[in-house]
């Protein structure tokens, strides 16, 4: 018996020694790791990596930039059913354990020791929070011990509710989605509180294998995981048998949903992102910056729609460039009596097809199967712009209709009005014969693009022509809307800000403004007659012409502008001087370096962007003040703190007048009492000039005489009332002014127009400059887009004309000579002049005869000239 005592003692003491050893080991690890543990308190203030978000002026989401899609939400915003699913699947003892699950860890350790493999996880939700916020994903014992210690600390410092909120906002759930709200948007296009039980269970099951087992990458594996989560919820009494059965049988509805923006403004978003990249190069896409722009969401939507409608209208006028592709049918006519393979089974006509994912009416026909097969192919195609893909499934020559089947399984009837434009394209000026019946154009299985437009739908094609639209608020320079092309996803090239194109006649108002400033008047007469330029710097002799090829003799400037007479503009520029005109125009906001230093400047030959041209037009629209264009109004951090707020210089004549009057009073007081120079305050004038000025917003400088500005406004109103811009009369407003522009060979078509509150510029052309066709002009190509946009932009806006300033005089003149009309002259018209420029010469009545007997009835038209530019006059 005594011999057995040492053995007994060993058997009793060994476990005790092992326990003490384990305690000592844990204590040693704790003492080693504890000093390096991060503060749990920092979890409450931790900065989640959230993307950059860009908003319109009225807080509609424009774009989101960042590697991680994340939308942090509060605990209360997540449905309780989701927490139930999460706890059932990931951590059934969450509410009772102290941060670690001893049984789970022991089970995981035993499996690892006995099998050499990790079969079940021992991590609790708290441990996952510790790992996700503080630690890496490396698989080492040190990292695991640190995770355990951190989890215990976290449980001691913050509540279970706070732990769950941290978890649901941090966890990765596949497809760049971080956090449950982002996952709900990515997989279902909805907020987390709008999901069904099955969908919540699907997301709750993703943390185990978010990349490999999400419902997009592997639907079958995702379904199995979802049903496991549902089964665990049923076992834990979170759901009933009926709820489990219904949710477990629900079809997989997940599909990838891109960023759900509220308005389409990708070109604007890229402009803003590029500008911010210089300000915040290190953390732009992770700090959750919110940028609020000047974009008006309603105007932006209207601009995008107007540009696309205008492009498609141009496209339809020039015919169908190539026949649409014909998709291969799943079942050919000769195969209809032959068994075919569908999924994993063999199928014959009349048999049900349970393996097909489509909702077919059984028994299906070959036509049914073909349509649904084609629809699936179309789902894989991205349609440009607002177009949709469809496939032709039926042609009826007697009814002159064709039937198309969309990717969303919608059946659409195309009548003759839908497709009759699609005559064969021959060249930019010629299209082929009319289409008599749909079979000439369509064939079964043809993949076609359709353009929905209100109640109508048209056959369409991917356009080649491009367009841009830029709109500003001329009172402060804020960008209201911008479209840089047909579709940003097809081309990132921003034609509004990057394309240097010749503005043509839409540049003439700047040349005319310079001339009025120099003393010309709207009634000044310039001869519209042929001229030839001989200059050694030119490769060939230049013979500019009016578009019509005709010459109209002496012409008033007002008439020359609204009829867009090229030769008058050239002669006018020669009279005022190229250098002087460039100096004048450059102060309006047009880059001087881009202005040609020759007489071709008068015809808009200087390349510039639509953005730059629209910037100059703001001066014409606001009464003569230079405002700087801007798009970023405010930048906030993720907590809503304002990091930057733009204070633009604004047009405020009343502010400027008040400051000038106050300055005059101060100067008078100082003149009367020089000592007041050192004491500029009194009961009458309590503030210094600087203090008084600070009561007003920053004031834009005046760069154009307000009288010159008003005269130009009335002349450009005539462009709309009686000139090339008559289409704008459809808006039914009296406050609009503008100018068309068309360059040589119709390579560029423009319209720029405004009232006192909105400026808009439209350009149409090809990226590789080529003719738009001999019938394409600013008046019928760009102006309709402008009208469509302005109809929305001006809706509900009171008429806002430029107010007539003091110092102008209206007198009756002879429309042929520009002289003052004689009393009672029947064809006299009213014209407005600056007071110092009123014509002094009065027209001679026709009955008056000079003493020498000569009849003063007017001058003859000037003959053709052949002179050098410097000898033009």
């Amino acid at each position: 018996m005594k011999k057995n005592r040492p053995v007994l003692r060993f058997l009793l003491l060994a476990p005790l020694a092992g326990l003490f050893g384990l305690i000592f080991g844990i204590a040693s690890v704790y003492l080693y790791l504890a000093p390096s543990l991060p503060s749990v308190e920092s979890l409450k203030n931790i900065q989640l990596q959230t993307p950059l978000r860009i908003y319109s002026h009225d807080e509609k989401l424009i774009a989101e930039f960042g590697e991680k899609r994340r939308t942090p939400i509060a605990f209360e915003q997540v449905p309780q059913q989701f927490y139930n699913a999460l706890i059932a699947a990931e951590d059934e003892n969450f509410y009772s354990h102290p941060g670690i699950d001893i049984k789970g860890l022991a089970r995981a350790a035993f499996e690892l020791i006995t099998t050499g493999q990790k079969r079940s996880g021992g991590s609790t939700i708290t441990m996952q929070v510790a790992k996700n916020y503080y630690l890496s994903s490396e698989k080492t014992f040190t990292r695991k011990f640190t995770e355990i210690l951190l989890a215990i600390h976290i449980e001691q410092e913050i509540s279970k509710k706070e732990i769950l909120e941290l978890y649901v906002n941090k966890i990765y759930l596949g497809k760049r989605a971080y956090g449950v709200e982002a996952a709900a948007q990515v997989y279902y296009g909805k907020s987390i509180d709008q999901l069904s039980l099955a969908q919540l269970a699907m997301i709750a099951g993703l943390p185990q294998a978010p990349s490999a087992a999400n419902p997009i990458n592997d639907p079958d594996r995702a379904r199995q995981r979802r049903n496991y989560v549902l089964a665990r919820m049923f076992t834990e009494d979170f759901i009933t048998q009926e709820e489990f059965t219904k949710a477990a049988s629900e079809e997989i509805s997940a599909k990838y949903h891109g960023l759900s923006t509220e308005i389409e403004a990708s070109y604007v978003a890229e402009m803003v992102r590029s500008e911010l990249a210089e300000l915040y190069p290190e953390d732009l896409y992770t700090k959750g910056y919110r940028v609020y722009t000047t974009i008006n969401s309603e105007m932006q939507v209207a601009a995008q729609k107007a540009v696309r409608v205008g492009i498609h209208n141009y496209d339809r006028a020039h015919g169908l460039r190539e026949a649409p592709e014909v998709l291969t049918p799943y079942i050919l006519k000769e195969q209809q009596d032959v068994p075919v393979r569908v999924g994993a089974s063999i199928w014959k006509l009349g048999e049900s097809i349970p393996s097909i994912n489509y909702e077919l009416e059984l028994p299906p026909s070959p036509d049914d199967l073909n349509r649904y097969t084609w629809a699936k192919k179309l789902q894989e195609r991205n349609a440009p712009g607002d177009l949709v893909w469809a496939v032709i499934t039926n042609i009826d020559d007697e009814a002159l209709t064709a039937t198309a089947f969309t990717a969303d399984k919608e059946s659409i009837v195309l009548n003759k009005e839908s497709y009759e434009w699609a005559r064969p394209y021959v060249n930019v000026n010629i299209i082929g014969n009319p289409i008599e019946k749909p079979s000439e154009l369509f064939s079964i299985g043809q993949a076609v693009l359709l353009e929905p437009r209100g109640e109508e739908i048209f056959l369409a094609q991917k356009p080649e022509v491009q367009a841009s639209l830029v709109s500003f608020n001329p009172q402060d320079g804020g960008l209201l809307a911008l479209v840089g092309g047909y579709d940003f996803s097809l081309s990132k090239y921003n034609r509004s800000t990057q394309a240097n194109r010749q503005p043509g006649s839409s540049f003439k108002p700047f040349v005319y403004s310079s001339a009025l400033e120099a003393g010309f008047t709207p009634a000044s007469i310039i001869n519209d007659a042929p001229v030839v330029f001989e200059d050694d710097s030119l490769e060939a002799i230049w013979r500019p012409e009016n578009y019509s090829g005709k010459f109209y003799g002496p012409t008033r400037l007002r008439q020359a502008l609204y009829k867009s007479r090229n030769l008058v503009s050239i002669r006018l520029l020669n009279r005022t001087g190229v250098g002087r005109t460039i100096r004048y125009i450059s102060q309006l906001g047009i880059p001087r370096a881009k202005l040609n230093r020759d007489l071709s400047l008068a015809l808009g030959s200087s390349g510039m962007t639509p953005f730059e041209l629209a910037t100059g037009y703001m001066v014409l629209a606001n009464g003569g003040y230079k405002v700087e264009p801007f798009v970023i109004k405010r930048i906030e951090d993720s907590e809503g703190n304002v990091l930057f707020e733009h204070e633009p210089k604004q047009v405020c004549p009343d502010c400027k007048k008040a400051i000038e009057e106050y300055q005059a009073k101060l100067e008078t007081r100082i003149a009367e009492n020089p000592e007041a120079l050192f004491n500029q305050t009194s009961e009458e004038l309590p503030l210094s000039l600087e203090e008084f000025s600070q009561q007003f917003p920053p004031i834009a400088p005046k760069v154009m005489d307000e009288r010159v500005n008003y005269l130009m406004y009335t002349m450009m109103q005539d462009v709309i009332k009686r000139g090339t811009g008559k289409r704008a009369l459809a808006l039914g407003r009296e406050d609009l002014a503008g100018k068309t522009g068309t360059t040589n060979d119709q390579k560029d078509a423009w319209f720029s127009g405004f009232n006192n509150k909105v400026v808009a510029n439209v350009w149409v052309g090809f990226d590789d400059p080529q003719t738009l066709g001999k019938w394409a002009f600013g008046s019928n190509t760009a102006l309709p887009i402008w009208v469509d946009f302005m109809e929305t932009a001006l809706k509900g806006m009171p008429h806002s004309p430029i107010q007539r300033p003091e110092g102008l005089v209206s007198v009756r003149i002879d429309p042929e000579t520009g002289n003052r009309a004689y009393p009672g002259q029947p064809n006299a018209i009213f014209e407005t002049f600056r007071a110092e420029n009123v014509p002094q010469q009065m027209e001679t009545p026709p009955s008056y005869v000079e003493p020498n007997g000569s009849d003063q009835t007017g001058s003859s038209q000037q003959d053709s000239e052949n002179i050098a530019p410097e000898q033009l006059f």
Side-chain angles (χ1 to χ4, degrees):
M1 191 69 174
K2 291 182 179 180
K3 292 181 180 179
N4 293 330
R5 285 180 180 176
V7 176
L8 264 164
R9 189 180 295 114
F10 175 78
L11 292 174
L12 290 172
L13 293 178
L16 195 60
L19 177 62
F20 280 114
L22 179 62
I23 294 172
F24 178 77
I26 293 174
S28 300
V29 171
Y30 174 78
L31 291 174
Y32 175 75
L33 295 177
S36 63
L37 294 178
S39 168
V40 175
E41 183 63 26
S42 64
L43 266 178
K44 298 179 181 180
N45 304 313
I46 200 160
Q47 177 67 55
L48 290 170
Q49 289 191 19
T50 51
L52 164 70
R53 291 189 175 95
I54 300 172
Y55 297 89
S56 66
H57 175 71
D58 44 350
E59 301 188 7
K60 300 286 182 66
L61 181 64
I62 291 176
E64 179 180 282
F65 293 97
E67 294 181 2
K68 300 180 179 180
R69 285 186 63 176
R70 175 183 277 123
T71 303
I73 54 177
F75 176 88
E76 294 76 14
Q77 293 175 278
V78 179
Q80 183 59 46
Q81 282 283 48
F82 179 80
Y83 291 124
N84 293 342
L86 190 67
I87 290 168
E90 295 287 323
D91 191 355
E92 61 183 307
N93 298 316
F94 173 74
Y95 286 109
S96 59
H97 65 60
I100 58 173
D101 186 343
I102 301 297
K103 291 182 179 179
L105 282 175
R107 181 177 63 251
F110 179 77
E111 289 175 353
L112 180 63
I113 293 171
T114 57
T115 66
Q117 296 180 346
K118 180 184 176 183
R119 292 185 176 179
S120 60
S123 292
T124 63
I125 288 176
T126 312
M127 291 170 67
Q128 291 182 58
V129 168
K131 180 180 71 173
N132 289 335
Y133 279 87
Y134 288 122
L135 307 172
S136 68
S137 297
E138 62 177 343
K139 296 181 179 181
T140 63
F141 286 108
T142 300
R143 202 272 299 161
K144 195 64 177 181
F145 275 119
T146 305
E147 181 182 309
I148 291 171
L149 293 177
L150 263 176
I152 295 172
H153 275 292
I154 289 171
E155 290 276 356
Q156 293 171 347
E157 297 291 333
I158 62 177
S159 68
K160 295 284 187 178
K161 172 182 171 182
E162 289 173 308
I163 292 170
L164 283 175
E165 182 174 311
L166 289 167
Y167 181 85
V168 299
N169 281 312
K170 181 73 173 180
I171 192 70
Y172 177 60
L173 297 168
K175 296 297 179 183
R176 294 179 52 240
Y178 289 79
V180 297
E181 177 63 15
Q185 294 290 349
V186 166
Y187 294 114
Y188 300 107
K190 300 177 182 178
S191 183
I192 186 72
D193 60 358
Q194 298 174 314
L195 301 187
S196 67
L197 172 61
Q199 292 168 336
L200 291 172
M202 177 70 76
I203 293 178
L206 290 175
Q208 186 184 69
S211 296
N214 67 65
I216 295 174
N217 289 354
D218 194 335
D220 290 336
R221 184 175 172 184
R223 180 189 290 105
Q224 293 173 8
R225 177 65 179 169
R226 180 200 67 184
N227 291 348
Y228 166 78
V229 173
L230 290 169
R232 291 288 305 131
M233 293 180 74
F234 175 67
T235 301
E236 296 293 327
D237 292 328
F238 288 135
I239 58 175
T240 66
Q241 176 69 58
E242 183 181 357
E243 288 174 318
F244 168 76
T245 303
K246 180 180 178 182
S249 61
E250 187 173 305
E251 287 295 320
I252 300 293
S253 59
K255 62 180 181 179
Y256 182 76
H257 292 78
L259 178 65
S260 179
T261 57
E262 295 177 271
I263 59 172
E264 187 176 353
S266 298
Y267 289 102
V268 174
E270 179 56 25
M271 288 170 58
V272 173
R273 187 206 64 78
S274 298
E275 187 172 339
L276 290 174
E278 299 180 5
L279 298 176
Y280 307 103
E282 301 296 329
D283 54 12
L284 180 60
Y285 310 117
T286 59
K287 287 292 186 180
Y289 295 118
R290 294 197 291 265
V291 183
Y292 296 91
T293 68
T294 57
I295 295 298
N296 179 299
S297 63
E298 189 174 357
M299 292 188 189
Q300 179 63 34
V301 170
Q304 187 71 74
K305 180 180 178 182
V307 164
R308 286 178 176 161
V309 168
I311 286 176
H312 286 302
N313 285 344
Y314 171 88
D315 219 32
R316 282 204 290 271
H318 292 80
L320 188 67
R321 289 185 296 277
E322 57 184 36
E325 172 193 0
V326 177
L327 300 178
T328 303
Y330 190 83
I331 297 180
L332 300 171
K333 288 186 179 298
E334 56 270 21
Q335 294 177 320
Q336 291 185 11
D337 295 327
V338 179
V340 293
R341 180 173 294 281
V342 180
S345 61
I346 300 297
W347 170 79
K348 291 183 179 181
L349 280 175
E351 294 181 356
S352 62
I353 317 174
S355 61
I356 291 292
N357 291 328
Y358 303 117
E359 298 175 0
L360 293 175
E361 294 183 4
L362 301 176
S365 70
D367 288 340
D368 288 331
L369 193 53
N370 281 337
R371 282 199 298 270
Y372 283 96
T373 303
W374 287 330
K376 187 174 182 181
K377 290 182 179 179
L378 296 181
Q379 288 174 350
E380 300 170 357
R381 297 188 174 194
N382 293 320
D386 296 325
L387 305 183
V388 295
W389 279 108
V391 61
I392 301 297
T393 58
N394 185 62
I395 300 169
D396 188 337
D397 280 343
E398 290 187 8
L400 298 180
T401 63
T403 304
F405 196 66
T406 70
D408 293 328
K409 308 182 186 72
E410 179 184 2
S411 184
I412 295 175
V413 176
L414 301 175
N415 55 34
K416 189 173 182 180
E417 290 73 23
S418 301
Y419 62 78
E420 64 181 348
W421 68 266
R423 297 160 64 177
Y425 173 91
V426 178
N427 60 49
V428 74
N429 295 314
I430 302 174
I431 57 177
N433 295 326
I435 298 167
E436 299 296 335
K437 51 187 180 179
S439 60
E440 296 176 4
L441 176 65
F442 299 116
S443 59
I444 303 298
Q446 233 173 18
V448 295
L449 286 167
L450 302 179
E451 180 200 4
R453 191 181 292 188
E455 297 297 321
E456 298 179 294
I457 191 160
F458 293 94
L459 180 68
Q461 62 186 339
K462 180 180 174 182
E464 294 180 347
V465 74
Q466 287 289 348
S468 78
L469 188 151
V470 182
S471 180
F472 286 112
N473 175 358
Q475 298 300 312
D476 63 6
L479 185 66
L480 299 174
L482 182 144
V483 178
Y486 176 76
D487 188 338
F488 184 80
S489 65
L490 296 178
S491 170
K492 309 298 187 288
Y493 182 55
N494 189 338
R495 289 121 191 121
S496 290
T497 60
Q498 295 175 294
N500 285 298
R501 308 297 291 237
Q502 294 181 346
S505 295
S506 59
F507 185 80
K508 288 177 181 176
F510 302 122
V511 176
Y512 279 61
S513 297
S514 176
L516 293 181
E517 188 77 41
F520 284 82
T521 74
S524 295
I525 301 294
I526 301 291
N527 196 23
D528 182 15
V531 63
V532 177
F533 290 118
E534 296 176 345
D535 194 321
D536 293 339
S537 64
L538 299 175
E539 295 182 2
I541 295 175
W542 185 36
R543 293 182 175 86
E545 295 181 343
N546 296 317
Y547 172 75
S548 66
K550 300 178 181 179
F551 306 99
Y552 299 91
T555 307
R556 286 178 292 115
L557 286 191
R558 179 181 292 275
Q559 189 178 28
L561 183 66
Y562 74 69
K563 289 184 177 292
S564 204
R565 300 280 169 76
N566 289 340
L567 293 173
V568 172
S569 301
I570 294 170
R571 292 172 182 273
L572 182 64
L573 176 59
N574 191 71
R575 287 278 295 275
T576 55
V578 173
R580 175 177 180 166
T581 301
I582 287 176
R583 287 192 297 274
Y584 182 83
I585 294 174
S586 61
Q587 69 182 357
L588 308 183
I590 305 294
R592 179 180 295 198
K594 291 190 173 183
L595 300 177
N596 293 347
R597 301 191 65 84
D598 55 54
L599 292 178
S600 69
L601 178 72
L603 303 185
S605 64
S606 302
M608 62 189 63
T609 67
F611 193 93
E612 291 164 343
L613 186 66
T615 299
Y617 264 74
M618 282 197 285
V619 179
L620 298 172
N622 64 24
Y625 297 86
K626 184 180 180 181
V627 292
E628 298 295 335
F630 72 103
V631 64
I632 297 176
K633 178 61 179 175
R634 186 174 76 257
I635 303 174
E636 296 179 358
D637 63 17
S638 59
E639 302 298 321
N641 301 309
V642 177
L643 305 178
F644 167 82
E645 187 155 14
H646 185 64
E647 293 188 17
K649 292 182 178 180
Q650 301 180 33
V651 175
C652 186
D654 292 340
C655 304
K656 183 176 175 61
K657 183 179 180 181
I659 293 172
E660 290 174 348
E661 289 177 351
Y662 194 84
Q663 182 179 14
K665 290 180 180 179
L666 281 177
E667 291 174 349
T668 300
R669 180 172 175 270
I670 292 171
E672 293 172 352
N673 180 11
E675 294 182 2
L677 180 64
F678 304 100
N679 180 21
Q680 294 183 7
T681 60
S682 67
E683 293 183 3
E684 180 185 0
L685 303 171
L687 301 174
S688 68
L689 181 62
E690 182 179 355
E691 291 170 331
F692 183 81
S693 300
Q694 289 175 353
Q695 301 177 96
F696 303 98
I699 300 173
K702 183 187 291 185
V703 293
M704 179 185 288
D705 184 297
E706 66 269 21
R707 298 174 300 166
V708 169
N709 181 269
Y710 182 79
L711 292 176
M712 280 305 309
Y713 171 61
T714 63
M715 292 168 71
M716 296 176 73
Q717 281 185 303
D718 280 347
V719 173
I720 290 175
K721 292 176 180 178
R722 54 180 60 91
T724 56
K726 283 184 179 179
R727 286 175 184 261
L729 293 174
L731 294 170
R733 298 181 66 104
E734 296 291 331
D735 59 342
L736 300 178
K739 186 70 185 76
T740 54
T742 309
T743 60
N744 286 345
D745 297 324
Q746 287 77 41
K747 291 180 180 178
D748 300 275
W750 300 78
F751 187 81
S752 298
F754 57 87
N755 70 359
N756 194 232
K757 302 299 182 184
V758 180
V759 168
N761 166 282
V762 173
W763 165 85
V764 180
F766 291 97
D767 286 339
D768 180 15
Q770 56 185 287
T771 181
L772 291 163
K774 61 183 179 182
W775 307 117
F777 305 99
S779 59
N780 61 11
T781 305
L783 178 53
I785 298 175
W786 186 89
V787 170
D788 284 352
F789 167 72
M790 292 296 271
E791 184 176 8
T792 298
L794 302 176
K795 186 177 182 180
M797 181 184 294
H799 284 225
S800 182
I802 296 175
Q803 298 301 311
R804 175 169 171 151
E806 298 178 358
L808 293 174
V809 179
S810 293
V811 299
R812 295 170 70 249
I813 65 167
D814 185 301
E816 302 299 327
T817 66
N819 295 331
R820 296 186 71 156
Y822 60 81
Q825 182 170 337
N827 67 335
I829 60 173
F830 276 100
E831 185 54 271
T832 305
F833 303 87
R834 290 194 288 178
E836 64 271 25
N837 297 138
V838 175
Q840 300 302 310
Q841 184 176 348
M842 181 176 290
E843 192 64 23
T844 305
S847 60
Y848 176 76
V849 179
E850 288 285 340
N852 62 6
S854 61
D855 184 5
Q856 303 297 313
T857 58
S859 59
S860 60
Q861 179 172 327
Q862 183 173 336
D863 296 327
S864 178
E865 304 172 28
N866 186 359
I867 56 178
E870 65 273 11
Q871 299 171 332
L872 188 56
F873 289 90

